[in-house]
Amino acid sequence: MKLVKSLLLASAAGLAAAASAQAADLPSKKAAPAEYVKVCSAHGEGFFYIPGTDTCLKISGHVRLDYQFQSTGNVANYQQYRAFQAANRVTPGSGKQFNYSSRSQNQTGFTVRARTQFDARTTTAYGTLRSFASLDWKSVSGANPEEYGNGTSIDKAFVQWAGLTAGRAQSMFDYYADALGYDDVRGPDHTVNLLAYTATFGGGFAATLSLEDTNQTGTIGSYTRATTAGGTPTINSWGLQGTRQPDVVAAIGVEQGWGGAQLSGLYHSINVESGTAIASRHKEEAGWGANAGVHIKLPMIAPGDELWLQATYTKGDLALQTQGYPRGWNLSNQSGGITKGWVLPDYDAVVVNGSDKLPTAWSAVAAFQHNWNAQWATHIEASYLNVKYPSAVTRAAVSSQLGASNWNEWRVGLGTDWKPVKNLLIGLELYYTRLDQKAPLNANGTVFTGAGTGVPFKKNINTYEGVFRVERDF
């Protein structure tokens, strides 16, 4: 029995030794080493290397809810306009009459926006190669004159390298760019498609030359005065003709420890058509603008405190200053309608008896922010805008529509932000806006006062608005 047991043990040992020797002869296969994401500190906080490349990427963004509310006192304008049309016998049902009251306007509304930003940078022999994209997803309702519709949009998307900027970016003409606050003040804050080159000179000085998407409004008013006494003037609108060239912007600026400053100029081409006939006169008009801004850091008051000042003048580029439809002057539950009281839309040019007339506008902006501590901050911003049409335009009364009128506007906003934890903001901003306007003309050329319509003309109109915001950054 002992002999059998010994033989079995010896056999098992031999088999094990043979298996081990055979396994040793087989090729071994090691697990591939794990490739971990590495932090990229060369381009700032939040960047990491894309695995397998020398490109650094940062992903950021925010989720934001704005609850808007606004007064509807400016509805008196639409009631006046309806009375104006009734006095001039506009046919009911022709699509030219307004039947709005304060009940037809939205006083409140929500805007929900999710923004994702991708910032990719690679170090090259000629400087940093950068591509940046900022994408928005939004859902809006109610009183949202700034952001109609739901869906996805491109906020910014551009490539930068060796002084070149190509894509969709902030206009090089602007400087303040609504740096503070939630709502808009007047001024040239626009995101456009552009191709620009920036040369740096050291000491924070730089100069930029930029070709930018022309900011045309799409319609030119054409006024025709009757040649016989007592005749009825008429108005017609012709579309702008094809773009001949982009806007040309030149800017020089400085950015240093104390803050920064910029001077910029703009040339704006307007391709004007004087009628609908094939033989109608076509002419290219030259609009232009100038902008000056300064940014002053005020750490002696509190860390992060800052002051912004900016002044802008334009001729033949009114929409650049008005920024479309700010809260308070538009019909918030309609896609069209008369905006900013009695004034015309933002025409680049108005044709009067075959002669092109360009409106002028100048604006001034001041904004200040004070940080009470790491959690609380208060900002105040104000703007003034003055718009003037040439006298030939304001004297050209029209039938069944409003005549042009000169106007000016004040906007003042005050807001406070609370940051209870990192990357969370809860804030409230209140705005007051005052419109001062000249009375338009009736169809017979007399000044419209509202007499006999039951609704007197209001030269001064005040509106109030506010935004409550909750935002989480990442």
Side-chain angles (χ1 to χ4, degrees):
M1 186 68 182
K2 290 182 178 180
L3 178 60
V4 174
K5 186 176 182 180
S6 298
L7 290 173
L8 290 172
L9 290 173
S11 299
L15 290 171
S20 298
Q22 186 176 8
D25 293 336
L26 294 174
S28 61
K29 185 176 182 181
K30 297 181 180 179
E35 188 172 11
Y36 297 98
V37 174
K38 297 188 299 181
V39 173
C40 176
S41 58
H43 299 289
E45 183 180 357
F47 284 88
F48 62 90
Y49 283 99
I50 299 176
T53 73
D54 58 353
T55 297
C56 299
L57 177 66
K58 179 178 181 179
I59 302 175
S60 60
H62 67 244
V63 176
R64 172 192 295 171
L65 177 140
D66 282 349
Y67 173 71
Q68 296 91 204
F69 49 94
Q70 65 181 26
S71 64
T72 56
N74 58 314
V75 172
N77 274 353
Y78 308 121
Q79 294 171 336
Q80 292 162 11
Y81 185 35
R82 189 180 69 175
F84 171 84
Q85 292 179 315
N88 286 278
R89 296 179 175 82
V90 177
T91 304
S94 64
K96 298 179 180 179
Q97 77 282 354
F98 283 75
N99 297 304
Y100 300 128
S101 67
S102 60
R103 289 292 179 181
S104 67
Q105 275 199 309
N106 293 318
Q107 286 188 311
T108 63
F110 286 92
T111 298
V112 178
R113 185 175 75 185
R115 171 172 291 179
T116 304
Q117 298 176 326
F118 302 90
D119 193 348
R121 306 186 187 188
T122 305
T123 301
T124 74
Y126 298 94
T128 299
L129 171 61
R130 181 191 186 197
S131 60
F132 179 85
S134 177
L135 307 177
D136 287 347
W137 291 262
K138 62 182 179 180
S139 174
V140 301
S141 63
N144 296 283
E146 290 184 356
E147 299 185 80
Y148 286 109
N150 304 312
T152 305
S153 61
I154 298 176
D155 173 49
K156 293 178 178 64
F158 56 83
V159 175
Q160 289 181 315
W161 179 73
L164 178 73
T165 300
R168 184 168 180 80
Q170 184 70 29
S171 171
M172 301 298 177
F173 181 70
D174 189 26
Y175 186 64
Y176 172 56
D178 283 334
L180 303 178
Y182 311 160
D183 208 343
D184 288 337
V185 292
R186 298 293 193 174
D189 177 24
H190 285 271
T191 301
V192 297
N193 300 331
L194 57 79
L195 177 63
Y197 178 76
T198 300
T200 56
F201 306 114
F205 287 89
T208 299
L209 181 65
S210 179
L211 304 180
E212 304 187 355
D213 238 353
T214 181
N215 185 31
Q216 295 181 324
T217 63
T219 307
I220 293 181
S222 176
Y223 291 88
T224 303
R225 293 285 290 180
T227 57
T228 58
T232 302
T234 60
I235 179 174
N236 295 289
S237 294
W238 318 123
L240 288 170
Q241 297 305 291
T243 302
R244 292 294 180 267
Q245 65 182 65
D247 287 351
V248 181
V249 175
I252 185 169
V254 59
E255 295 294 331
Q256 297 178 344
W258 59 268
Q262 177 178 289
L263 292 173
S264 58
L266 172 143
Y267 170 79
H268 175 64
S269 173
I270 314 166
N271 192 14
V272 182
E273 178 188 35
S274 63
T276 57
I278 295 177
S280 296
R281 178 185 61 84
H282 295 255
K283 184 179 180 182
E284 186 171 347
E285 296 289 350
W288 62 277
N291 185 65
V294 62
H295 175 215
I296 303 173
K297 299 177 182 179
L298 301 171
M300 70 290 294
I301 301 178
D305 282 19
E306 55 184 331
L307 173 67
W308 292 83
L309 300 171
Q310 180 170 273
T312 310
Y313 178 87
T314 58
K315 181 176 182 179
D317 201 355
L318 183 54
L320 186 68
Q321 297 257 41
T322 59
Q323 298 193 60
Y325 303 94
R327 291 185 176 94
W329 300 139
N330 72 302
L331 213 63
S332 61
N333 61 346
Q334 300 289 334
S335 59
I338 299 302
T339 62
K340 309 174 202 68
W342 284 80
V343 300
L344 284 173
D346 302 329
Y347 291 128
D348 286 348
V350 178
V351 183
V352 180
N353 291 337
S355 176
D356 304 332
K357 307 298 181 181
L358 308 183
T360 62
W362 69 272
S363 65
V365 175
F368 171 73
Q369 177 166 293
H370 173 62
N371 295 278
W372 303 99
N373 51 44
Q375 292 184 319
W376 290 91
T378 297
H379 62 266
I380 182 171
E381 57 179 350
S383 69
Y384 174 79
L385 175 63
N386 182 280
V387 175
K388 285 188 176 181
Y389 286 90
S391 58
V393 177
T394 57
R395 290 198 307 264
V398 298
S399 62
S400 304
Q401 291 199 37
L402 295 174
S405 62
N406 298 329
W407 58 282
N408 61 78
E409 177 204 67
W410 287 93
R411 289 175 64 77
V412 180
L414 176 66
T416 295
D417 297 335
W418 176 43
K419 298 180 180 179
V421 297
K422 185 178 180 180
N423 296 328
L424 175 64
L425 180 147
I426 301 174
L428 176 67
E429 183 179 74
L430 302 176
Y431 247 89
Y432 165 74
T433 306
R434 178 181 177 87
L435 174 67
D436 297 327
Q437 56 190 343
K438 299 290 185 181
L441 298 180
N442 287 301
N444 60 7
T446 62
V447 175
F448 175 69
T449 63
T453 66
V455 184
F457 173 76
K458 292 178 66 176
K459 180 179 182 294
N460 308 121
I461 299 176
N462 304 303
T463 63
Y464 307 89
E465 54 205 88
V467 179
F468 175 75
R469 172 170 293 181
V470 178
E471 179 178 317
R472 202 281 192 199
D473 299 328
F474 61 87

